[in-house]
Amino acid sequence: MTEHPVLVLNAGSSSLKYQLLVPESGDVRAGGVIERIGESGSDVADHAAALEAMTERLRSDDVDLDELQLRAVGHRVVHGGPDFSEPVLIDDAVLDRVRDLSSLAPLHNPAAITGIEAARDRFDVPHVAVFDTAFFSALPPQASTYAVPRDLAEKHAIRRYGFHGTSHEYVSQAAADLLGRPTSDLRQVILHLGNGCSASAVRGGRPVDTSMGLTPLQGLVMGTRSGDVDPGLHAYLAREVGLSLDEIDTLLNKKSGVLGLSGVNDFRELEDRLEAGDAAARLAFDVVVHRLKHYVGAYLAILGGLDVLVFTAGIGENSTTVRAAVTEGLGELGITVDPARNAARSKQARVISPDGSRVVVAVVPTNEELAIARQTADLVG
Ligand code: AMP
């Protein structure tokens, strides 16, 4: 039984990421992404066709899904709203509840639902939903509550939910493992810096604060998302520029952030331009770093001190420059990195602060697929 793999699916509106792995060993049998689903000129008409394309691709790699006897399918679902604080076995009632949450995540949940429906038709095994918000459902009320009228917030489920929870939970545990200390001993700040970026404060393995909010737009500066702006900006843009609410939503989600400031959203390209002396790239980089420091300082105050600062995801794991810039000048707070350790390239979890530092600074690769596969396997037994 334990050899049977779990299929992890992450369905976007036009893409389907998949990974086939054995949760106990972490052994990855296959993985990939089917793109351009439903786009004009694409062979892949919908998510059902995408699953067939995936099956074909796996077969050409000598992986026969029907022979393998899948144990279960684990689905990444972005928004669990107020309903879901843990992974859940999917049935029709669960699917209806996830559908009801689409108003909270119109860009994400409908795609996940389409993917789940197609996968349930295709694979007659237990299906599990793992929510990106679940870890942060345990945020204390002072962190999760927006200062808006309480009756309105209650009626419309307005609160800070937080996202990337699977990653923050996995990485906080992996960082504790790296140090050989239990999470119960640790005050951690986790910086998940990928296409989407979020920070969290974690004490004793439990979330204390996080930078994303009702939606994944709040907080850090991201590839195409603004992160924090004055909430008054929305009314100003509507009045002065005549933008509709949908246009403002698109502007802040898709055309802002690093892209809006520099013209590129990929961080590697930004760093190339930075090296070439591009002034717009310089400003974008400085804004990203300033915001990161803002959150590190805030979380240090909220935690009442810090034991571990962790960098993860594409930028956090790979960018020596960002890690150096974020930690620069924080020696007074006990945060320093060793330049040689920071510059060393590795795929492994590692400490980059000097030995004996008050705060351990670490790089810990995230692995959301493994975390989803494990949670799925735990639930189906
Ligand atoms: P993710 O969403 O975790 O896959 O992260 C994607 C982001 O990581 C993109 O902005 C990439 O440009 C960035 N990234 C990946 N590798 C590097 C690298 N070597 N240096 C800087 N940024 C990187």
Side-chain angles (χ1 to χ4, degrees):
M1 180 68 181
T2 51
E3 277 304 289
H4 296 165
V6 169
L7 177 65
V8 174
L9 294 180
N10 180 358
S13 55
S14 67
S15 70
L16 179 74
K17 287 198 199 109
Y18 61 92
Q19 200 174 93
L20 189 65
L21 69 167
V22 180
E24 289 76 16
S25 61
D27 178 29
V28 177
R29 299 279 176 83
V33 55
I34 308 288
E35 291 177 299
R36 306 195 58 224
I37 301 170
E39 289 181 7
S40 66
S42 164
D43 303 332
V44 192
D46 53 21
H47 284 77
L51 287 173
E52 280 324 305
M54 173 192 79
T55 307
E56 274 313 308
R57 248 196 232 176
L58 291 172
R59 202 171 282 144
S60 66
D61 288 339
D62 272 344
V63 180
D64 188 321
L65 279 178
D66 298 305
E67 267 178 18
L68 266 176
Q69 299 186 340
L70 278 184
R71 204 185 313 179
V73 181
H75 297 267
R76 176 173 187 258
V77 180
V78 166
H79 217 308
D83 297 9
F84 297 105
S85 54
E86 284 178 355
V88 59
L89 205 58
I90 299 172
D91 58 19
D92 291 343
V94 165
L95 210 50
D96 282 344
R97 281 159 72 201
V98 175
R99 201 174 280 116
D100 289 344
L101 295 170
S102 289
S103 57
L104 283 169
L107 300 176
H108 295 105
N109 274 27
I113 292 161
T114 316
I116 291 169
E117 285 173 335
R120 284 178 88 203
D121 284 344
R122 175 65 181 77
F123 301 108
D124 188 17
V125 295
H127 289 253
V128 172
V130 178
F131 299 94
D132 223 22
T133 48
F135 180 58
F136 294 118
S137 66
L139 281 176
Q142 65 273 24
S144 64
T145 305
Y146 289 114
V148 298
R150 280 181 66 181
D151 48 350
L152 184 81
E154 271 165 32
K155 185 157 176 235
H156 295 282
I158 298 166
R159 52 162 283 179
R160 182 192 293 284
Y161 289 99
F163 300 85
H164 295 147
T166 308
S167 176
H168 285 273
E169 184 176 23
Y170 175 88
V171 166
S172 58
Q173 180 63 55
D177 293 346
L178 174 71
L179 305 189
R181 292 170 64 180
T183 51
S184 56
D185 278 0
L186 298 175
R187 293 163 298 182
Q188 308 188 54
V189 167
I190 317 260
L191 302 176
H192 174 111
L193 311 179
N195 282 320
C197 300
S198 59
S200 70
V202 177
R203 181 193 288 120
R206 308 264 295 168
V208 176
D209 205 347
T210 192
S211 59
M212 283 179 168
L214 175 75
T215 75
L217 180 55
Q218 199 180 351
L220 300 173
V221 178
M222 314 182 209
T224 64
R225 287 174 242 168
S226 61
D228 297 335
V229 292
D230 181 343
L233 176 64
H234 298 69
Y236 183 82
L237 286 170
R239 273 198 317 267
E240 293 298 315
V241 189
L243 297 183
S244 70
L245 279 178
D246 279 346
E247 287 168 337
I248 294 170
D249 206 35
T250 304
L251 179 86
L252 297 177
N253 272 292
K254 307 249 161 145
K255 300 179 186 166
S256 297
V258 172
L259 175 69
L261 289 172
S262 74
V264 294
N265 70 42
D266 188 283
F267 219 80
R268 273 165 298 200
E269 275 183 60
L270 184 79
E271 291 191 351
D272 290 345
R273 292 193 179 197
L274 203 60
E275 263 175 48
D278 182 306
R282 178 83 254 162
L283 178 63
F285 184 89
D286 290 348
V287 173
V288 166
V289 170
H290 182 85
R291 186 81 51 85
L292 278 161
K293 284 189 183 232
H294 176 106
Y295 275 91
V296 171
Y299 289 172
L300 200 142
I302 283 168
L303 289 167
L306 187 61
D307 302 301
V308 198
L309 173 64
V310 190
F311 289 88
T312 192
I315 300 166
E317 290 166 30
N318 295 298
S319 175
T320 304
T321 322
V322 165
R323 294 190 301 253
V326 171
T327 51
E328 194 193 331
L330 302 188
E332 288 263 326
L333 304 175
I335 300 171
T336 47
V337 298
D338 176 274
R341 287 182 176 179
N342 185 32
R345 305 207 72 76
S346 165
K347 295 269 167 232
Q348 304 298 317
R350 58 202 183 272
V351 171
I352 59 169
S353 46
D355 294 341
S357 296
R358 189 143 42 95
V359 176
V360 175
V361 183
V363 179
V364 177
T366 192
N367 193 339
E368 290 170 275
E369 289 80 9
L370 179 60
I372 292 171
R374 285 186 178 157
Q375 292 181 31
T376 298
D378 285 349
L379 197 67
V380 302

